Amino acid sequence: MAWSMSQKLTIAYAGLLGVGGLMGYVKSGSSMSLISGGLSASVLCYVHTQLPTNPTFASSVGLGISAVLLFAMGARFKKSGKIFPAGVVSVVSLVMAGGYLHGILRSSHA
């Protein structure tokens, strides 16, 4: 079965977070980056699998992950002013949160 655009974006987002967490660990020894990136990526992989069959639930979980990352990394960007990784993850999380919110609204009207 072909993936929907939501699934493609979700798996790309999961990949970004997973690789970012691994990079944070390798570059600065941050086990928190590894754990949070890996956990976020794992949950988003689950969201990816649930989008076709349970879009409202999956989009709600994705929205939760995106919102947490938006606020956490947004605060980190505001504090450090560093575009990468905090600024990039904040912007991507904002876009994904909007996409998941759209999915929730669309599914509730179907």
Side-chain angles (χ1 to χ4, degrees):
M1 175 171 18
W3 287 355
S4 68
M5 183 58 70
S6 298
Q7 286 180 288
K8 291 175 186 175
L9 292 172
T10 296
I11 207 71
Y13 185 38
L16 172 75
L17 297 175
V19 169
L22 184 60
M23 285 176 49
Y25 178 74
V26 169
K27 189 172 180 181
S28 62
S30 171
S31 57
M32 183 58 88
S33 291
L34 183 63
I35 292 167
S36 60
L39 185 61
S40 298
S42 297
V43 172
L44 287 168
C45 285
Y46 174 72
V47 167
H48 163 80
T49 66
Q50 294 301 303
L51 278 168
T53 57
N54 199 351
T56 303
F57 170 74
S59 293
S60 297
V61 173
L63 177 61
I65 292 288
S66 297
V68 167
L69 287 168
L70 172 61
F71 288 113
M73 296 303 270
R76 191 168 161 193
F77 173 69
K78 186 176 179 182
K79 183 178 177 182
S80 71
K82 292 184 178 179
I83 298 293
F84 190 80
V88 171
V89 173
S90 297
V91 170
V92 173
S93 295
L94 177 64
V95 170
M96 292 302 293
Y100 291 127
L101 184 58
H102 177 264
I104 292 167
L105 295 173
R106 192 178 78 202
S107 295
S108 67
H109 293 320

